[in-house]
Amino acid sequence: MPLLKYKKSHFFYAFIYLLPTIILYSIFYYYPFALNIYYSFTDWDFLHPASFIGLKNYQRLISDPLFFKSLILTVIYVISVLLGSIAIGLIQAFIINRPTKLAAFTRVIMFIPYMIPDVAAAAIWLIIFAPGPSGYANCILSSLGLGNYSWFQDPNLAMPMLIFYSLWKYTGFSALVLYSGIKAIPGEYIEAARIDGASEFKVFTRVIMPLLGPIISFIIATNLMSSWFVFSSVYTLTKGGPGTATLLIGMYLYSTAFESFKAGYASTIAIINTIFIIFIVILQVKRVRGVGYGV
Amino acid sequence: MNKYIKNFVIYFIAIIILLFSLFPVYWMILTSIKRYEDLLNPYLFITKITFENYIKIISSPLTITTAINFYRCMTNSIIIALGSVILSLSISILLGYGLARMNFKFKRLVSNASLFVYILPPSFLAIPFFVHMRMLGLVNSLISVILAETIFTIPFCAWILREQFSSIPKEIEESAYIDGCGRLEVLFRIILPLSAPTLVATATYIFIRAWNEYQYALLLLYSKDLWTLPLFLTTFLAADVIPWGILMAASVLYTIPPLIFYYVTERYMIKGLIAGAVKA
C-alpha cells in the first residue's frame, strides 16, 4: 500500500475503531451520568415532573442521620473486608506459592467461592445460618450447648456475618492476584536473598512483601470499587436489616430510590459517594504508578 | 525437627483454607440431594440420596410465591450472557486495537473516559440508567440488561486486549500490509488469531459478569417471562417456608456454567490478571 494512502486511511480507521465505544458511552453512560447530576438538584419522585430545588438535597444529606449511619457502616465493612482479604490472601498466596501438589490443589479450590454467583452463594449461607434450631450452624452450636443464634437476623450479628461472608466470597480473588504478583517478581531477587542465607519466612517478609506494594494498591483500588456500593449480597442476605443494622450505602441508595421513591435525593447520595470513590481511587492509582519494579 | 513443625503448620493452614472454601459448596450439593425427611439432620454424610429436587425443577413450572419456569429463566440468562459476550467483545476488540496501534488526537481522552467507567461501580448508575431506559422504551427487555453489561465490561476487556495487541510485534502487521492486506483484514486474519487465548479469557470474564448480574436484572426486567436465574433463586428466598432442597438444586445448576467456563480457561484468566495487576 502506498505510504500516502496508508496515512490518509489512518485517521479514518482510528475513527471507525473508536466510534462504537464513543456512541455507546455517550448515550448509555455519560448521558445518564449527567442526568444523575441534574436529578440531584431536583425533588423528583419518578412520577411527577422534576422541579429544581437547588442545593436542598445536599443540605438534607448533611443533616440525615441515616446517611451518616450507612456511611459509617460502609466504611467499617469496606475496611474490614479489605484488611481481612489482604491478610488472609497473603497467607493463602504464601501457601499456594509452594511447589507441592497440595498447593496446586488449594489454588484450584480456593477460587471456587469467588466463582459462585452472588445470589447462589448468599442462598447457601442463608441455609447454613438459618435462624432457629433447623439451621446447620445452630445444630452444631446447640449440640455443644452454646445455644441458638439468629445470625443474619440478629441486629448485633448481622454486620459481622456480612463481613464474614464477604471474606469467604472475595478472599480467593485477592489471594490469586497476590500470587500472580509474587510470580511476576524476578526470580533473581529471591535467589539472591536465599544465597545470603535468608529463611523462607524472611524472604517472604523482607523481599516479596515490599515488592508487592503496587499489587496491594491494585487490590485496595479494585476492592474499594466493588465493595463501596455492594448491593446484591446485602440485598439477598439481609435487605439492609434487621432494622438498619446492615444498611450499607448501596442498599440505602436502592431503598431511597425504589422503595421510598425519592429519586432526587437518591441521586444526591450517589453523587456524593462517587466523589469519595474517585478521590480514594486516584490516591491509590498514584501509588500504583509511583512504585514499580522493572518487569 | 524444625522443618517438620513448619510443614505441619503449612499443611494445617492449607487444609483449613480448603475446608473453609469448600464446606458451603459441599453443603449446597448435599442439601440438593437430600430426601425431604433428612433435611433437618445435621450429619455430614447421608446414605440415601435422591434427585427429586432436580426433577421437580426441570420437569414443570414451579409455584412458589408465583408460578415460575426454570427453562425460561435459564434461556434468558443464556441470551443475556451470550449477547453481552458478542457485543462487548466486538466493541472491546475495536477499542483495544485502536488504543494499541493508532495515534490520534483524542486517544488519551477516550482511554480516560473508559477508565472512568471502570472506576465507578455499576450500582451507582442504577437510577439514571433505569430512567433513561424507560425513556427509550427499552425497560423490560433483555436488550437493556445486555447494554448495561456491555458498558460495564468494556473498560476491563479493552484494557486487557490492548496489552495483548501491543505485545504482538509490529513487523508482523507491516509485512502483511506489504503483502497487500487491508486494515480490517490484518485485524481479523493476523491479530485476532494470535490473540485467541486472551480473547477466550476476556469472553469468559464477560460471560461470568453477565451471568451473575442481579441488580440491573432486578430493576430492568419486571415481567416474569424475562426473569433470569438470580431472580428465579430470590423468589424462593421470599417464600414463607423456603424450600431448601429445590433452592439448593437450582443453585447448583446456576453455579455449574461459570465454574466450567472458569476452569477451562483458568490458565489464560490468571495471565490476564497478572497483566491487569502488574501493569495497573
Side-chain angles (χ1 to χ4, degrees):
Chain A
M1 192 188 309
L3 198 63
L4 189 69
K5 200 177 161 200
Y6 176 85
K7 283 261 161 179
K8 246 188 184 170
S9 68
H10 191 90
F11 293 101
F12 175 69
Y13 276 105
F15 189 61
I16 294 284
Y17 290 137
L18 298 181
L19 198 61
T21 315
I22 293 172
I23 292 176
L24 205 69
Y25 275 179
S26 41
I27 299 179
F28 296 110
Y29 193 87
Y30 285 100
Y31 178 66
F33 192 89
L35 274 184
N36 202 352
I37 297 175
Y38 166 68
Y39 287 143
S40 74
F41 295 106
T42 66
D43 65 346
W44 195 45
D45 60 355
F46 287 117
L47 295 171
H48 308 94
S51 61
F52 192 78
I53 56 165
L55 286 170
K56 270 205 183 122
N57 279 331
Y58 290 86
Q59 279 171 354
R60 196 175 143 194
L61 192 77
I62 295 170
S63 54
D64 179 359
L66 208 52
F67 171 70
F68 282 102
K69 186 179 179 190
S70 82
L71 196 63
I72 291 167
L73 285 176
T74 308
V75 170
I76 293 173
Y77 172 82
V78 169
I79 290 180
S80 330
V81 173
L82 200 60
L83 292 182
S85 74
I86 289 176
I88 304 172
L90 271 175
I91 298 174
Q92 291 187 356
F94 178 64
I95 283 174
I96 61 180
N97 194 32
R98 298 160 60 81
T100 61
K101 280 225 170 91
L102 184 73
F105 184 64
T106 314
R107 200 186 75 209
V108 173
I109 298 297
M110 72 173 200
F111 209 57
I112 288 183
Y114 187 73
M115 294 315 298
I116 298 177
D118 282 328
V119 176
I124 302 170
W125 277 64
L126 283 176
I127 281 182
I128 293 178
F129 292 100
S134 56
Y136 182 67
N138 277 339
C139 264
I140 300 286
L141 286 183
S142 58
S143 71
L144 294 172
L146 293 171
N148 284 327
Y149 296 93
S150 346
W151 307 112
F152 287 106
Q153 286 166 32
D154 181 325
N156 296 320
L157 276 179
M159 191 64 190
M161 283 303 290
L162 194 64
I163 293 168
F164 187 39
Y165 165 83
S166 306
L167 285 179
W168 171 75
K169 183 94 174 61
Y170 302 115
T171 301
F173 177 75
S174 308
L176 205 64
V177 174
L178 286 168
Y179 167 73
S180 320
I182 294 174
K183 284 259 143 182
I185 292 173
E188 299 94 55
Y189 294 3
I190 296 164
E191 230 157 79
R194 284 224 177 100
I195 289 167
D196 288 348
S199 68
E200 204 169 341
F201 184 71
K202 274 260 166 73
V203 169
F204 196 76
T205 51
R206 295 287 169 84
V207 181
I208 296 178
M209 281 281 285
L211 286 170
L212 283 179
I215 298 286
I216 289 176
S217 286
F218 173 79
I219 293 177
I220 293 175
T222 45
N223 247 322
L224 195 80
M225 291 183 258
S226 56
S227 60
W228 192 276
F229 274 99
V230 63
F231 174 76
S232 40
S233 322
V234 183
Y235 189 74
T236 38
L237 285 169
T238 65
K239 288 216 160 60
T244 55
T246 54
L247 194 74
L248 302 187
I249 286 290
M251 191 62 220
Y252 186 45
L253 185 67
Y254 179 86
S255 68
T256 311
F258 298 104
E259 279 159 18
S260 16
F261 302 110
K262 293 171 192 153
Y265 186 49
S267 305
T268 314
I269 298 172
I271 292 294
I272 290 294
N273 282 284
T274 306
I275 294 171
F276 285 154
I277 291 193
I278 293 176
F279 183 68
I280 305 173
V281 169
I282 284 176
L283 282 183
Q284 287 307 317
V285 169
K286 279 236 168 88
R287 267 196 67 199
V288 176
R289 287 210 176 126
V291 198
Y293 38 89
V295 184
Chain B
M1 189 59 202
N2 191 15
K3 202 184 165 199
Y4 287 112
I5 293 175
K6 206 180 73 187
N7 272 342
F8 175 77
V9 169
I10 284 171
Y11 273 84
F12 185 72
I13 297 173
I15 285 165
I16 289 197
I17 291 169
L18 288 180
L19 285 180
F20 182 52
S21 309
L22 267 190
F23 178 73
V25 184
Y26 175 69
W27 198 251
M28 160 171 81
I29 298 168
L30 195 70
T31 310
S32 75
I33 54 174
K34 266 183 185 172
R35 292 179 309 163
Y36 187 75
E37 308 84 277
D38 290 339
L39 266 184
L40 294 181
N41 113 32
Y43 299 115
L44 284 175
F45 301 99
I46 49 170
T47 44
K48 294 196 172 98
I49 61 166
T50 169
F51 289 101
E52 63 177 4
N53 291 320
Y54 290 92
I55 294 166
K56 261 187 210 155
I57 290 176
I58 292 171
S59 59
S60 64
L62 288 161
T63 308
I64 307 297
T65 43
T66 51
I68 38 173
N69 186 334
F70 180 78
Y71 279 124
R72 187 50 68 66
C73 296
M74 184 90 156
T75 318
N76 291 333
S77 273
I78 292 174
I79 293 175
I80 287 178
L82 290 184
S84 314
V85 168
I86 293 169
L87 192 61
S88 174
L89 197 58
S90 26
I91 296 175
S92 304
I93 288 173
L94 291 178
L95 179 64
Y97 188 67
L99 291 178
R101 280 289 191 264
M102 301 286 187
N103 272 315
F104 48 88
K105 247 185 174 171
F106 303 109
K107 186 168 159 175
R108 236 193 129 66
L109 181 72
V110 175
S111 127
N112 282 343
S114 83
L115 189 69
F116 189 70
V117 178
Y118 181 66
I119 285 176
L120 291 179
S123 33
F124 109 94
L125 200 74
I127 307 163
F129 192 85
F130 168 76
V131 173
H132 188 47
M133 283 294 159
R134 203 170 63 169
M135 282 195 275
L136 294 173
L138 287 172
V139 137
N140 207 19
S141 71
L142 297 180
I143 299 169
S144 57
V145 183
I146 293 179
L147 280 171
E149 288 310 303
T150 304
I151 285 166
F152 295 120
T153 49
I154 284 177
F156 182 76
C157 299
W159 178 25
I160 296 294
L161 287 172
R162 173 164 103 170
E163 295 290 331
Q164 163 63 25
F165 295 154
S166 310
S167 73
I168 297 173
K170 256 189 173 162
E171 289 76 29
I172 299 181
E173 274 175 71
E174 273 158 14
S175 66
Y177 285 129
I178 291 166
D179 291 344
C181 273
R183 277 204 177 266
L184 287 177
E185 231 174 329
V186 167
L187 181 61
F188 281 104
R189 289 234 183 126
I190 291 168
I191 301 286
L192 292 187
L194 282 174
S195 313
T198 313
L199 289 175
V200 172
T202 323
T204 310
Y205 167 79
I206 304 168
F207 180 90
I208 291 169
R209 278 278 306 244
W211 189 260
N212 282 354
E213 182 56 52
Y214 179 61
Q215 189 176 16
Y216 278 79
L218 178 73
L219 282 178
L220 293 165
L221 310 170
Y222 35 81
S223 90
K224 255 185 291 168
D225 289 344
L226 297 172
W227 276 6
T228 55
L229 282 177
L231 296 173
F232 178 85
L233 288 185
T234 43
T235 333
F236 292 93
L237 291 175
D240 290 332
V241 180
I242 300 175
W244 288 2
I246 299 178
L247 173 61
M248 286 297 98
S251 301
V252 169
L253 294 176
Y254 177 43
T255 306
I256 289 172
L259 275 186
I260 292 179
F261 268 89
Y262 172 72
Y263 284 110
V264 169
T265 61
E266 195 205 5
R267 239 162 5 116
Y268 311 122
M269 290 288 281
I270 291 179
K271 235 169 112 189
L273 272 180
I274 298 174
V278 174
K279 289 180 181 161

